Amino acid sequence: MVLWVIWLAICLPLFLTFMSTFTLTWKVALFYNICRIGPMYTNFAHVYTLSHMEVHRQYQLFTTKNPFMKCVFNMWIGLFHGVVPGTFTHSHVNNHHKYDNDINDVYSTAGYRRDSVWSFCRYIVVWFAYATNFSTFYDMIKQGEYRKVFEVFLGSCYYVAFILLNMSLFGTKFALVTVVYPLIEGNILLALVNYTWHIFIEEGNDYVNSLTILNGENFIFSEEYHVVHHYAPGFHHSRYKSVFEKNIEKYDIVFQHTNLFELGITAILCNYKRLGTMVKDPPDDVEEILKKRLRATLW
């Protein structure tokens, strides 16, 4: 993990500075962003996963008293990849995990059928309201959490100041394609990630309302055990598998050997037959079960 911090917190910002010395062309912009997201989106995956873990571990990813290192992902590394301070640090833990995808969750997936391109396009709008802290402001004002409102406001100002600093140092166009673009790209991808984590709904069944993928492709830190994560958000990722195995009889549908993006896109495009092949030991009526859960809503 230390090597990832060195790469993402030091090397990548220095690489951005180096790229700013070139005349901005579409090739320069493309090259930087390919390097930033990494092969098979590995940089993207580590930035968002570790920003997420940093908050759930109560800023104890590293045994240090240094305040910068305690929140290095949410307050520094994430800025280069579209993580706005306040999203993970406040809304994710105080709203998403509090309401667990119900109607009060500011980025719930449960209000409309999810096997629909149109529904996913709607969800991108919902997600961006969260990713830019607008829906978080609304929720926390409604809850009377004014201290948290102020903290999220400061986080948003901090992010805007980061963009303005990059514009001042490297020029507006360069900042738009290297700092603002990742906000758009990263959150479209992350919208699909969360949409897929909570793409199946069965009221009152926590073992359906989040996803589990065994031997999944391109996962890190056991994120594929998403049911376990919602069951105990503070657990260390090394415990996820054992907790899953302890409660395995409670799962009737578990996926295997697939990529999260592939699973989500397959469901959105209504390819139920292909979706059924991703299920471990599928029952005979697996397609009907999946279709019912994709179309179920909570309100």
Side-chain angles (χ1 to χ4, degrees):
M1 192 181 297
V2 173
L3 291 177
W4 277 106
V5 173
I6 293 171
W7 162 239
L8 294 168
I10 300 172
C11 297
L12 196 61
L14 288 175
F15 178 62
L16 181 148
T17 304
F18 171 70
M19 292 301 295
S20 72
T21 64
F22 293 86
T23 301
L24 181 62
T25 65
W26 70 268
K27 293 180 181 179
V28 169
L30 180 63
F31 181 67
Y32 170 75
N33 282 295
I34 288 174
C35 293
R36 175 188 53 78
I37 199 169
M40 199 58 189
Y41 57 82
T42 184
N43 292 340
F44 163 84
H46 278 82
V47 169
Y48 280 91
T49 301
L50 289 168
S51 295
H52 178 228
M53 285 172 57
E54 185 175 72
V55 173
H56 282 297
R57 302 276 182 83
Q58 298 181 335
Y59 307 99
Q60 297 295 322
L61 280 182
F62 306 99
T63 54
T64 176
K65 294 182 179 180
N66 185 306
F68 174 75
M69 285 303 299
K70 283 179 177 291
C71 55
V72 65
F73 281 94
N74 280 279
M75 300 303 290
W76 176 245
I77 291 171
L79 303 179
F80 295 89
H81 301 266
V83 178
V84 180
T87 51
F88 285 119
T89 57
H90 289 71
S91 186
H92 180 78
V93 291
N94 294 301
N95 180 272
H96 179 61
H97 278 278
K98 178 180 179 180
Y99 296 114
D100 208 19
N101 207 42
D102 73 10
I103 192 170
N104 296 302
D105 186 338
V106 296
Y107 54 92
S108 174
T109 64
Y112 33 79
R113 58 180 286 182
R114 290 153 305 283
D115 55 344
S116 162
V117 174
W118 171 243
S119 290
F120 178 63
C121 290
R122 287 175 57 193
Y123 187 71
I124 290 175
V125 177
V126 171
W127 183 265
F128 268 86
Y130 151 75
T132 54
N133 283 332
F134 282 102
S135 56
T136 303
F137 280 127
Y138 174 77
D139 175 68
M140 290 183 174
I141 290 171
K142 185 172 67 173
Q143 299 297 328
E145 299 276 3
Y146 297 113
R147 177 175 177 176
K148 291 178 181 176
V149 170
F150 181 66
E151 291 171 350
V152 172
F153 175 73
L154 289 180
S156 301
C157 290
Y158 177 68
Y159 183 74
V160 171
F162 173 75
I163 293 175
L164 294 176
L165 177 62
N166 276 270
M167 289 180 173
S168 175
L169 292 174
F170 308 126
T172 300
K173 289 183 180 179
F174 187 82
L176 287 174
V177 299
T178 59
V179 180
V180 178
Y181 169 73
L183 172 70
I184 300 168
E185 173 203 76
N187 280 292
I188 290 174
L189 293 174
L190 207 61
L192 180 55
V193 167
N194 194 71
Y195 192 82
T196 306
W197 282 140
H198 302 289
I199 202 165
F200 300 104
I201 299 291
E202 184 174 276
E203 189 167 4
N205 190 343
D206 292 336
Y207 294 89
V208 169
N209 296 337
S210 299
L211 207 62
T212 298
I213 303 175
L214 300 182
N215 302 309
E217 299 174 5
N218 310 115
F219 285 103
I220 55 175
F221 300 112
S222 301
E223 286 286 298
E224 61 268 38
Y225 295 99
H226 207 67
V227 169
V228 178
H229 173 63
H230 271 264
Y231 167 72
F235 274 12
H236 192 277
H237 63 272
S238 62
R239 298 179 61 186
Y240 285 5
K241 185 177 180 180
S242 62
V243 174
F244 163 74
E245 291 173 345
K246 183 179 178 180
N247 297 285
I248 195 168
E249 72 283 352
K250 298 178 181 179
Y251 296 76
D252 66 339
I253 295 287
V254 173
F255 293 87
Q256 65 177 354
H257 304 304
T258 189
N259 175 282
L260 187 69
F261 291 108
E262 179 187 9
L263 194 158
I265 291 170
T266 301
I268 290 168
L269 296 179
C270 305
N271 191 341
Y272 309 111
K273 185 175 182 180
R274 168 70 178 146
L275 200 60
T277 66
M278 300 177 186
V279 175
K280 183 180 187 295
D281 302 325
D284 293 337
D285 58 344
V286 63
E287 292 181 32
E288 290 304 313
I289 293 173
L290 295 175
K291 188 183 297 185
K292 180 180 178 180
R293 292 174 177 179
L294 283 167
R295 297 180 176 181
T297 60
L298 296 182
W299 67 87

